[in-house]
Amino acid sequence: MSRPKDAMNRLRDPEALSFWQRTYVPEILRGLKLTAAHFFRNLLIHIFHLAGLWKDRRGAETVQYPEEVRGYSPRLRSLHRLTKRDDGSPRCVACMMCETICPARCIYIVATEHPDPNIEKRPASFDIDLGKCVFCGFCVEVCPEDAIRMDTHILNFAAYSRQEMVWDINRLLSNEPQRVEGIGEIRKVK
Amino acid sequence: MPTLTIDGQQVTVSKGATIMQAAEALGIYIPRYCYHPGLRVAGSCRMCLVEIEKAPKLDIACYRQAAEGMVVHTTTEPVKLARQSILEFLLSNHPLDCPVCDQSGECDLQNFYMEFGLYQSRFLENKIKRRKAFPIGRHVMLDNERCILCSRCVRFCEEVSRSHELGIVNRGDRSEIALREGSQLDNEYSGNVIDICPVGALTEREFRFQCRVWYLNRAASVCPGCSRGCNIELHYNVNRPHQSGGKRVLRLKPRFNAEVNKWWMCDEGRYGFEFIDAPSRLQDFEIRTAQRTVVASREQAVQTLSDWIGDSIDRHGSQSLGIFLSPKLSNEDLYGIGKFARHVGIDCLDFRNPSERPGYQDDFLIQADKNPNTRGCLELGLYRRSEDSGGWMAGEIQRGKVRVLIVFLQDLALAPEFQQVLGRLERLVFVGSNRNGTAEIASLVVPSATYAEKDGSFTNFEGRAQRFERAVVPLGSAVAEADLVASVAVSFGMQREEFERERLLSDLRREYPFFDQEALNPPELEWVYQTPIGQERL
Ligand code: SF4
Ligand code: SF4
Ligand code: SF4
Ligand code: SF4
Ligand code: FES
């Protein structure tokens, strides 16, 4: 039985359904068949796995996070980092654009004088309260200096206290960008 | 009296008025850089070009005088193109430092560019490099790259402060603002150049990087620095306390008042707000005995004060109480205190600190009397007319007549007359915003609200009573003086309602016809700056 292209439209308009479709019984049975087929296939493959066979075939499609992860897309918004100048100091000039745009109001910057008058301004402190951040990425978009990015691919920064969720300038500067490879590929985490 | 038409609206102006002034009268805003109503016309920036019918080319509105039958357009395509071209020219050597520039958010280069800019740069050459971010005076920082050479600052120093420190040196695209050889921009009014500079070339050293301007809120106020009572705006940051380290009031700006200070204010007043958030602020009620000082609640303090007053009246009559007021108190507070004093029969009142000497004075704004409300005290008659200083009260204490003294704000411990005798008092009560020598020895200390923390009015030396409005909440447990008196007065059979701010003001105006003045009506905020900065939004 081929799937009708306009199945969704048909569901919205019961008049367009055939008699058997309107009884739902064949459709339910069709769904059960699909699920059951996967169940027995996976069961079989897992049994073979136990016996040390068929290791190249996945038992189930579920990604076994955190033992396994998939390769993240480069557009994924992950933990922030502050980018650095050649001398290792932050690129950030404490313009407060990110603090202003942040819808969660979770960026706290204190500005101070930069010794070089051609740079003029730098952050004395730069805190992001990740407990409040909604990972919208506005801060990255708005930054005129490319000083803040969300390309670390770090997602597991949970902490035991609210205070530990506040990342200060040193922690943010120490984050490194993650090279993107194998988008969508499932990898075992060692 | 020529009548002309601007953008289809007719207006009649006085002879000699410019198109700019005529447009202003109609409420039409013509963009400008070099024009400032308080300075001579320079006509150098060309931003104000407008189209005049039958004229061969565009003309500048700030200089061209209005003529009978003139028809002016300020929004046509040629005018917009002219503005766009002027902006393109100004930006050709502009560094576009907006992220680090303290002016951004209230910068007319930004604002006009948003409206008339070209957006697509055609500039391929290298920009001229100049000296950046260096102090040229005690309060002012110069960035030559950002300067658009409108010459407002130069004209200010020539015409208003008449100190001639600034000039434009070199020619062509090498022209720049420079200090006169061997001088510094440190006249008494130097801060005003920061206000009139339309861009971020002149910025404030004190305010530098304290807060982005769009986080500031503002309140209309009156400068308490001297008896001129310059109209000011208080700019305060309560949205992002971390940025300015918890300091709330961050800068003062003059507010236009044609009769008092025009567009200007002096530096002493401009930077005289530090006490509002200073560590010396009193925040708790303190009751002091010979052995120790304890922090009290407001109720305890009010009870204590009422008991002391009542007790002294019972034992020695109301003559045993003295009140030393301050010419830094508002009219309302003074009136409230006076009302209570009259009610309980205290007539031992004065406000003239014998240790106070007249300060610096000039023929422009600065007055020798550094108190904002001396005239108010005088008009309310809260002093002993037969004496020419408050020193007589020391004599009363010496003779044992005054036993309980309530001091408002003043540091009497500084006055030699009082130094000797304050120890003889049974009770010394200090009501004030900041800790001083008198607070140290007082048996009861009441923290009071500063002018930024309450509504009120000051009367300047010319007799003009002017309102100021509250910007921030009182720090800690601080209370306005009239509110303190109200709490005490209820124990003496008075009604609390009699001490409400608006009630005090209306009673004051009724009882003393002197105070029935136009200027006491709620202030209308007429901002000097074109750019409205963020109000509560962020
Ligand atoms: S990602 Fe969004 S919520 Fe998080 S810090 Fe940036 S702007 Fe704020
Ligand atoms: S927007 Fe960029 S440069 Fe500006 S404060 Fe944020 S991180 Fe720093
Ligand atoms: S003067 Fe204005 S345009 Fe120039 S850098 Fe400062 S804010 Fe930007
Ligand atoms: S420093 Fe400012 S006020 Fe002075 S000429 Fe330059 S832009 Fe104009
Ligand atoms: S404002 Fe008219 S030329 Fe500058």
PDB file of all heavy atoms in Angstrom, chain B residues 20 30-36 41-49 60-63 150 152 155, ligand 5:
ATOM      1  N   MET B  20      16.805  78.747  10.915  1.00  0.00           N
ATOM      2  CA  MET B  20      16.915  77.746  11.972  1.00  0.00           C
ATOM      3  C   MET B  20      15.985  78.107  13.124  1.00  0.00           C
ATOM      4  O   MET B  20      15.240  77.268  13.634  1.00  0.00           O
ATOM      5  CB  MET B  20      18.369  77.696  12.453  1.00  0.00           C
ATOM      6  CG  MET B  20      18.651  76.691  13.529  1.00  0.00           C
ATOM      7  SD  MET B  20      18.729  75.008  12.920  1.00  0.00           S
ATOM      8  CE  MET B  20      20.448  74.815  12.515  1.00  0.00           C
ATOM      9  N   ILE B  30      15.983  70.877  12.338  1.00  0.00           N
ATOM     10  CA  ILE B  30      16.935  70.815  11.232  1.00  0.00           C
ATOM     11  C   ILE B  30      18.246  70.282  11.795  1.00  0.00           C
ATOM     12  O   ILE B  30      18.772  70.836  12.759  1.00  0.00           O
ATOM     13  CB  ILE B  30      17.136  72.218  10.618  1.00  0.00           C
ATOM     14  CG1 ILE B  30      15.804  72.751  10.083  1.00  0.00           C
ATOM     15  CG2 ILE B  30      18.185  72.166   9.509  1.00  0.00           C
ATOM     16  CD1 ILE B  30      15.863  74.161   9.565  1.00  0.00           C
ATOM     17  N   PRO B  31      18.776  69.194  11.235  1.00  0.00           N
ATOM     18  CA  PRO B  31      20.027  68.644  11.767  1.00  0.00           C
ATOM     19  C   PRO B  31      21.144  69.686  11.725  1.00  0.00           C
ATOM     20  O   PRO B  31      21.192  70.499  10.799  1.00  0.00           O
ATOM     21  CB  PRO B  31      20.349  67.483  10.825  1.00  0.00           C
ATOM     22  CG  PRO B  31      19.142  67.235  10.033  1.00  0.00           C
ATOM     23  CD  PRO B  31      18.286  68.436  10.079  1.00  0.00           C
ATOM     24  N   ARG B  32      21.976  69.663  12.740  1.00  0.00           N
ATOM     25  CA  ARG B  32      23.049  70.649  12.811  1.00  0.00           C
ATOM     26  C   ARG B  32      24.213  70.076  13.597  1.00  0.00           C
ATOM     27  O   ARG B  32      24.021  69.186  14.437  1.00  0.00           O
ATOM     28  CB  ARG B  32      22.556  71.946  13.471  1.00  0.00           C
ATOM     29  CG  ARG B  32      22.423  71.927  15.010  1.00  0.00           C
ATOM     30  CD  ARG B  32      21.282  71.151  15.594  1.00  0.00           C
ATOM     31  NE  ARG B  32      19.948  71.556  15.227  1.00  0.00           N
ATOM     32  CZ  ARG B  32      19.198  72.394  15.933  1.00  0.00           C
ATOM     33  NH1 ARG B  32      19.656  72.947  17.019  1.00  0.00           N
ATOM     34  NH2 ARG B  32      17.966  72.636  15.567  1.00  0.00           N
ATOM     35  N   TYR B  33      25.398  70.587  13.303  1.00  0.00           N
ATOM     36  CA  TYR B  33      26.568  70.273  14.129  1.00  0.00           C
ATOM     37  C   TYR B  33      27.166  71.531  14.724  1.00  0.00           C
ATOM     38  O   TYR B  33      27.350  71.627  15.923  1.00  0.00           O
ATOM     39  CB  TYR B  33      27.635  69.528  13.321  1.00  0.00           C
ATOM     40  CG  TYR B  33      27.253  68.107  13.006  1.00  0.00           C
ATOM     41  CD1 TYR B  33      27.157  67.664  11.699  1.00  0.00           C
ATOM     42  CD2 TYR B  33      26.967  67.208  14.023  1.00  0.00           C
ATOM     43  CE1 TYR B  33      26.794  66.368  11.412  1.00  0.00           C
ATOM     44  CE2 TYR B  33      26.599  65.912  13.747  1.00  0.00           C
ATOM     45  CZ  TYR B  33      26.513  65.493  12.439  1.00  0.00           C
ATOM     46  OH  TYR B  33      26.140  64.219  12.165  1.00  0.00           O
ATOM     47  N   CYS B  34      27.464  72.503  13.863  1.00  0.00           N
ATOM     48  CA  CYS B  34      28.192  73.657  14.404  1.00  0.00           C
ATOM     49  C   CYS B  34      27.273  74.631  15.117  1.00  0.00           C
ATOM     50  O   CYS B  34      27.687  75.347  16.004  1.00  0.00           O
ATOM     51  CB  CYS B  34      28.991  74.349  13.307  1.00  0.00           C
ATOM     52  SG  CYS B  34      28.001  75.144  12.047  1.00  0.00           S
ATOM     53  N   TYR B  35      25.994  74.660  14.720  1.00  0.00           N
ATOM     54  CA  TYR B  35      25.080  75.609  15.342  1.00  0.00           C
ATOM     55  C   TYR B  35      24.770  75.208  16.774  1.00  0.00           C
ATOM     56  O   TYR B  35      24.459  74.057  17.064  1.00  0.00           O
ATOM     57  CB  TYR B  35      23.775  75.669  14.543  1.00  0.00           C
ATOM     58  CG  TYR B  35      22.686  76.467  15.211  1.00  0.00           C
ATOM     59  CD1 TYR B  35      22.745  77.855  15.235  1.00  0.00           C
ATOM     60  CD2 TYR B  35      21.620  75.834  15.839  1.00  0.00           C
ATOM     61  CE1 TYR B  35      21.760  78.599  15.856  1.00  0.00           C
ATOM     62  CE2 TYR B  35      20.628  76.565  16.467  1.00  0.00           C
ATOM     63  CZ  TYR B  35      20.707  77.946  16.481  1.00  0.00           C
ATOM     64  OH  TYR B  35      19.730  78.666  17.118  1.00  0.00           O
ATOM     65  N   HIS B  36      24.889  76.173  17.677  1.00  0.00           N
ATOM     66  CA  HIS B  36      24.419  75.977  19.046  1.00  0.00           C
ATOM     67  C   HIS B  36      23.757  77.280  19.460  1.00  0.00           C
ATOM     68  O   HIS B  36      24.346  78.347  19.275  1.00  0.00           O
ATOM     69  CB  HIS B  36      25.583  75.628  19.973  1.00  0.00           C
ATOM     70  CG  HIS B  36      25.128  75.246  21.350  1.00  0.00           C
ATOM     71  ND1 HIS B  36      24.742  76.184  22.276  1.00  0.00           N
ATOM     72  CD2 HIS B  36      24.963  74.041  21.943  1.00  0.00           C
ATOM     73  CE1 HIS B  36      24.368  75.552  23.390  1.00  0.00           C
ATOM     74  NE2 HIS B  36      24.492  74.258  23.211  1.00  0.00           N
ATOM     75  N   VAL B  41      27.162  82.081  15.425  1.00  0.00           N
ATOM     76  CA  VAL B  41      26.993  81.187  14.275  1.00  0.00           C
ATOM     77  C   VAL B  41      28.327  81.013  13.564  1.00  0.00           C
ATOM     78  O   VAL B  41      29.046  81.986  13.328  1.00  0.00           O
ATOM     79  CB  VAL B  41      25.947  81.773  13.306  1.00  0.00           C
ATOM     80  CG1 VAL B  41      25.891  80.962  12.026  1.00  0.00           C
ATOM     81  CG2 VAL B  41      24.585  81.822  13.965  1.00  0.00           C
ATOM     82  N   ALA B  42      28.674  79.778  13.257  1.00  0.00           N
ATOM     83  CA  ALA B  42      29.919  79.535  12.546  1.00  0.00           C
ATOM     84  C   ALA B  42      29.654  79.168  11.095  1.00  0.00           C
ATOM     85  O   ALA B  42      30.413  79.525  10.199  1.00  0.00           O
ATOM     86  CB  ALA B  42      30.705  78.419  13.227  1.00  0.00           C
ATOM     87  N   GLY B  43      28.562  78.457  10.872  1.00  0.00           N
ATOM     88  CA  GLY B  43      28.211  78.106   9.491  1.00  0.00           C
ATOM     89  C   GLY B  43      29.240  77.233   8.812  1.00  0.00           C
ATOM     90  O   GLY B  43      29.444  77.330   7.605  1.00  0.00           O
ATOM     91  N   SER B  44      29.901  76.365   9.570  1.00  0.00           N
ATOM     92  CA  SER B  44      31.005  75.624   8.975  1.00  0.00           C
ATOM     93  C   SER B  44      30.667  74.187   8.626  1.00  0.00           C
ATOM     94  O   SER B  44      31.325  73.582   7.798  1.00  0.00           O
ATOM     95  CB  SER B  44      32.202  75.641   9.926  1.00  0.00           C
ATOM     96  OG  SER B  44      31.847  74.997  11.123  1.00  0.00           O
ATOM     97  N   CYS B  45      29.654  73.607   9.235  1.00  0.00           N
ATOM     98  CA  CYS B  45      29.472  72.167   9.029  1.00  0.00           C
ATOM     99  C   CYS B  45      28.600  71.845   7.831  1.00  0.00           C
ATOM    100  O   CYS B  45      28.666  70.755   7.296  1.00  0.00           O
ATOM    101  CB  CYS B  45      28.902  71.528  10.287  1.00  0.00           C
ATOM    102  SG  CYS B  45      27.164  71.894  10.540  1.00  0.00           S
ATOM    103  N   ARG B  46      27.747  72.750   7.422  1.00  0.00           N
ATOM    104  CA  ARG B  46      26.840  72.600   6.271  1.00  0.00           C
ATOM    105  C   ARG B  46      25.786  71.517   6.477  1.00  0.00           C
ATOM    106  O   ARG B  46      25.168  71.076   5.517  1.00  0.00           O
ATOM    107  CB  ARG B  46      27.594  72.338   4.964  1.00  0.00           C
ATOM    108  CG  ARG B  46      28.855  73.124   4.765  1.00  0.00           C
ATOM    109  CD  ARG B  46      28.706  74.585   4.977  1.00  0.00           C
ATOM    110  NE  ARG B  46      28.134  75.317   3.842  1.00  0.00           N
ATOM    111  CZ  ARG B  46      28.011  76.641   3.830  1.00  0.00           C
ATOM    112  NH1 ARG B  46      28.423  77.355   4.864  1.00  0.00           N
ATOM    113  NH2 ARG B  46      27.476  77.249   2.795  1.00  0.00           N
ATOM    114  N   MET B  47      25.603  71.064   7.685  1.00  0.00           N
ATOM    115  CA  MET B  47      24.623  70.007   7.905  1.00  0.00           C
ATOM    116  C   MET B  47      23.205  70.562   7.804  1.00  0.00           C
ATOM    117  O   MET B  47      22.257  69.832   7.576  1.00  0.00           O
ATOM    118  CB  MET B  47      24.861  69.384   9.286  1.00  0.00           C
ATOM    119  CG  MET B  47      24.095  68.110   9.535  1.00  0.00           C
ATOM    120  SD  MET B  47      24.548  66.829   8.369  1.00  0.00           S
ATOM    121  CE  MET B  47      23.232  65.667   8.646  1.00  0.00           C
ATOM    122  N   CYS B  48      23.065  71.861   7.994  1.00  0.00           N
ATOM    123  CA  CYS B  48      21.718  72.430   8.104  1.00  0.00           C
ATOM    124  C   CYS B  48      21.211  72.950   6.760  1.00  0.00           C
ATOM    125  O   CYS B  48      20.282  73.750   6.736  1.00  0.00           O
ATOM    126  CB  CYS B  48      21.723  73.546   9.130  1.00  0.00           C
ATOM    127  SG  CYS B  48      22.766  74.910   8.637  1.00  0.00           S
ATOM    128  N   LEU B  49      21.814  72.511   5.662  1.00  0.00           N
ATOM    129  CA  LEU B  49      21.384  72.992   4.347  1.00  0.00           C
ATOM    130  C   LEU B  49      19.890  72.763   4.131  1.00  0.00           C
ATOM    131  O   LEU B  49      19.364  71.684   4.423  1.00  0.00           O
ATOM    132  CB  LEU B  49      22.176  72.268   3.251  1.00  0.00           C
ATOM    133  CG  LEU B  49      23.629  72.728   3.057  1.00  0.00           C
ATOM    134  CD1 LEU B  49      24.358  71.764   2.150  1.00  0.00           C
ATOM    135  CD2 LEU B  49      23.684  74.135   2.513  1.00  0.00           C
ATOM    136  N   ILE B  60      22.401  77.526   4.129  1.00  0.00           N
ATOM    137  CA  ILE B  60      22.430  77.027   5.498  1.00  0.00           C
ATOM    138  C   ILE B  60      21.413  77.761   6.365  1.00  0.00           C
ATOM    139  O   ILE B  60      21.350  78.988   6.385  1.00  0.00           O
ATOM    140  CB  ILE B  60      23.842  77.113   6.115  1.00  0.00           C
ATOM    141  CG1 ILE B  60      24.447  78.497   5.957  1.00  0.00           C
ATOM    142  CG2 ILE B  60      24.744  76.060   5.511  1.00  0.00           C
ATOM    143  CD1 ILE B  60      25.752  78.677   6.709  1.00  0.00           C
ATOM    144  N   ALA B  61      20.642  76.967   7.089  1.00  0.00           N
ATOM    145  CA  ALA B  61      19.541  77.528   7.874  1.00  0.00           C
ATOM    146  C   ALA B  61      20.030  78.274   9.103  1.00  0.00           C
ATOM    147  O   ALA B  61      19.358  79.165   9.608  1.00  0.00           O
ATOM    148  CB  ALA B  61      18.591  76.417   8.297  1.00  0.00           C
ATOM    149  N   CYS B  62      21.212  77.913   9.592  1.00  0.00           N
ATOM    150  CA  CYS B  62      21.664  78.524  10.843  1.00  0.00           C
ATOM    151  C   CYS B  62      22.144  79.952  10.627  1.00  0.00           C
ATOM    152  O   CYS B  62      22.278  80.710  11.571  1.00  0.00           O
ATOM    153  CB  CYS B  62      22.771  77.690  11.479  1.00  0.00           C
ATOM    154  SG  CYS B  62      24.281  77.650  10.521  1.00  0.00           S
ATOM    155  N   TYR B  63      22.419  80.320   9.365  1.00  0.00           N
ATOM    156  CA  TYR B  63      22.967  81.645   9.106  1.00  0.00           C
ATOM    157  C   TYR B  63      22.002  82.514   8.304  1.00  0.00           C
ATOM    158  O   TYR B  63      21.889  83.713   8.547  1.00  0.00           O
ATOM    159  CB  TYR B  63      24.291  81.510   8.357  1.00  0.00           C
ATOM    160  CG  TYR B  63      24.966  82.829   8.110  1.00  0.00           C
ATOM    161  CD1 TYR B  63      25.504  83.553   9.176  1.00  0.00           C
ATOM    162  CD2 TYR B  63      25.048  83.358   6.829  1.00  0.00           C
ATOM    163  CE1 TYR B  63      26.102  84.777   8.956  1.00  0.00           C
ATOM    164  CE2 TYR B  63      25.655  84.581   6.607  1.00  0.00           C
ATOM    165  CZ  TYR B  63      26.183  85.291   7.674  1.00  0.00           C
ATOM    166  OH  TYR B  63      26.773  86.499   7.461  1.00  0.00           O
ATOM    167  N   CYS B 150      33.565  71.056  14.304  1.00  0.00           N
ATOM    168  CA  CYS B 150      32.419  71.950  14.278  1.00  0.00           C
ATOM    169  C   CYS B 150      32.738  73.277  14.959  1.00  0.00           C
ATOM    170  O   CYS B 150      32.020  74.248  14.791  1.00  0.00           O
ATOM    171  CB  CYS B 150      31.233  71.295  14.971  1.00  0.00           C
ATOM    172  SG  CYS B 150      31.443  71.172  16.740  1.00  0.00           S
ATOM    173  N   ARG B 152      32.433  74.150  18.004  1.00  0.00           N
ATOM    174  CA  ARG B 152      31.608  74.568  19.149  1.00  0.00           C
ATOM    175  C   ARG B 152      32.466  74.787  20.390  1.00  0.00           C
ATOM    176  O   ARG B 152      32.311  75.765  21.110  1.00  0.00           O
ATOM    177  CB  ARG B 152      30.573  73.491  19.463  1.00  0.00           C
ATOM    178  CG  ARG B 152      29.344  73.536  18.618  1.00  0.00           C
ATOM    179  CD  ARG B 152      28.362  72.522  19.176  1.00  0.00           C
ATOM    180  NE  ARG B 152      27.181  72.372  18.345  1.00  0.00           N
ATOM    181  CZ  ARG B 152      26.191  71.532  18.630  1.00  0.00           C
ATOM    182  NH1 ARG B 152      26.255  70.782  19.706  1.00  0.00           N
ATOM    183  NH2 ARG B 152      25.137  71.445  17.851  1.00  0.00           N
ATOM    184  N   ARG B 155      34.451  77.983  20.201  1.00  0.00           N
ATOM    185  CA  ARG B 155      33.619  79.165  20.426  1.00  0.00           C
ATOM    186  C   ARG B 155      33.182  79.248  21.883  1.00  0.00           C
ATOM    187  O   ARG B 155      33.074  80.334  22.440  1.00  0.00           O
ATOM    188  CB  ARG B 155      32.403  79.126  19.491  1.00  0.00           C
ATOM    189  CG  ARG B 155      32.741  79.607  18.087  1.00  0.00           C
ATOM    190  CD  ARG B 155      31.580  79.416  17.147  1.00  0.00           C
ATOM    191  NE  ARG B 155      31.383  78.010  16.817  1.00  0.00           N
ATOM    192  CZ  ARG B 155      30.198  77.472  16.567  1.00  0.00           C
ATOM    193  NH1 ARG B 155      29.099  78.180  16.648  1.00  0.00           N
ATOM    194  NH2 ARG B 155      30.104  76.184  16.255  1.00  0.00           N
TER     195      ARG B 155
HETATM  196  S1  FES C   5      24.638  74.081  11.639  1.00  0.00           S
HETATM  197 FE1  FES C   5      24.479  75.387   9.946  1.00  0.00          FE
HETATM  198  S2  FES C   5      26.379  75.180   9.006  1.00  0.00           S
HETATM  199 FE2  FES C   5      26.627  73.980  10.809  1.00  0.00          FE
END
